[in-house]
Amino acid sequence: MKKTVLFALLLAGYSGAAIAQSDSTQPKKKGIFGQILDKVGDVASGGSSSNDEIANGLKEALRIGISKGSDQASAVDGYYKNTLIKILMPPEAQKVESALRKLGMGKQVDQFIMSLNRSAEDAAKKAKPIFLNALTSMTIQDAVGILRGQDNAATQYLKRTTSDQLMAAFTPVIDSTLKKNNATRYYGDLVRTYNKLPIATTKVNPDLTNYAATKAVDGIFTLVAQEEKQIRENPAARVNDLLKKVFGQQ
């Protein structure tokens, strides 16, 4: 096991050194992920930080980013006023929205869309503990893969390990909140009104829950990806005592 970990660390260290040499003509300010990768190389050559400190440094950086993304999503207007993740009418119901607005029912449509986003904001409160639990299961191999991976490698790791849990946790909350905020009633009324119109050649299904839960999960991953980008690009971001120790910052 020790040989496997050391090999992974050596491989990561050599890869980081090769990348640094190939880009030496255009030096870039390293983000937190780049600094951790340097530390992986340091450990392989007898540096001071331990393997656990490096893995914990990455987890801590991700923990803070995840917490911020989750808190942002679960705040009032976290979805509704964020154009990146705002939940709109289901694609198959967009013709419903257009027709009803023309009939003077724009206020009812707007009420429904707000209620839809409120349900996502309520469900997003369930995300943080699920994400944090995924971090506790992260191995040193997972950490090295994230450090050496693409700009959204940590987000993709979380998608692989938490998507099913998030859907399972979000669905009942969204179903309950849609009913509490009258979104289910608004949507049912809108769809039934539309389905009675002569132009409604294809009837629209008024079932909302799965659509809203899927969009809510997609939205929270969008915010987590934003936070990961910050962690990678900004050396000053997400700094606390553990990160200062791992990165040797004063």
Side-chain angles (χ1 to χ4, degrees):
M1 176 63 183
K2 291 183 178 179
K3 290 182 178 180
T4 301
V5 172
L6 180 58
F7 176 77
L9 293 173
L10 284 169
L11 181 62
Y14 292 148
S15 175
I19 292 171
Q21 286 180 354
S22 66
D23 200 32
S24 59
T25 56
Q26 295 180 344
K28 295 179 181 178
K29 194 173 185 181
K30 292 184 179 179
I32 282 180
F33 279 32
Q35 294 176 44
I36 298 177
L37 188 54
D38 285 347
K39 285 294 182 181
V40 171
D42 290 345
V43 169
S45 58
S48 58
S49 296
S50 71
N51 297 346
D52 287 343
E53 283 178 333
I54 290 167
N56 288 337
L58 172 63
K59 291 179 183 180
E60 186 66 4
L62 293 177
R63 184 191 68 77
I64 299 172
I66 284 168
S67 295
K68 183 175 180 183
S70 300
D71 290 345
Q72 183 180 344
S74 61
V76 175
D77 291 332
Y79 280 80
Y80 186 64
K81 290 190 176 179
N82 187 333
T83 55
L84 282 177
I85 63 173
K86 183 177 181 178
I87 304 176
L88 303 176
M89 292 281 272
E92 69 273 14
Q94 288 175 2
K95 57 187 177 182
V96 178
E97 177 179 2
S98 177
L100 294 177
R101 287 189 186 279
K102 289 177 182 177
L103 292 175
M105 296 182 66
K107 181 178 179 180
Q108 290 89 332
V109 172
D110 290 338
Q111 285 178 323
F112 161 70
I113 291 174
M114 177 180 284
S115 295
L116 190 60
N117 284 272
R118 291 289 183 260
S119 73
E121 291 157 10
D122 199 18
K125 297 170 185 175
K126 299 285 187 179
K128 189 188 297 188
I130 293 174
F131 283 147
L132 296 181
N133 183 61
L135 290 185
T136 64
S137 304
M138 183 184 292
T139 65
I140 185 66
Q141 288 86 354
D142 293 328
V144 171
I146 289 170
L147 293 171
R148 298 174 60 204
Q150 298 179 343
D151 288 348
N152 66 345
T155 303
Q156 291 303 317
Y157 169 82
L158 291 172
K159 280 187 177 182
R160 290 194 305 271
T161 57
T162 67
S163 287
D164 290 346
Q165 295 175 66
L166 288 172
M167 280 296 293
F170 277 33
T171 299
V173 175
I174 283 189
D175 185 58
S176 174
T177 308
L178 285 173
K179 292 174 181 175
K180 181 177 69 177
N181 290 339
N182 292 317
T184 303
R185 178 171 63 82
Y186 290 144
Y187 188 63
D189 290 347
L190 292 172
V191 168
R192 281 187 285 273
T193 298
Y194 174 81
N195 285 341
K196 292 177 183 178
L197 297 176
I199 61 173
T201 54
T202 302
K203 304 302 180 183
V204 176
N205 188 343
D207 182 12
L208 267 182
T209 301
N210 184 262
Y211 166 77
T214 300
K215 296 298 289 183
V217 170
D218 289 346
I220 205 162
F221 278 124
T222 296
L223 296 182
V224 168
Q226 283 186 324
E227 289 303 312
E228 179 179 0
K229 188 172 186 292
Q230 270 289 95
I231 292 169
R232 288 184 183 274
E233 293 181 352
N234 184 0
R238 322 294 175 250
V239 173
N240 61 20
D241 289 342
L242 177 58
L243 299 182
K244 287 177 183 177
K245 180 178 181 180
V246 173
F247 305 139
Q249 297 177 2
Q250 299 300 318

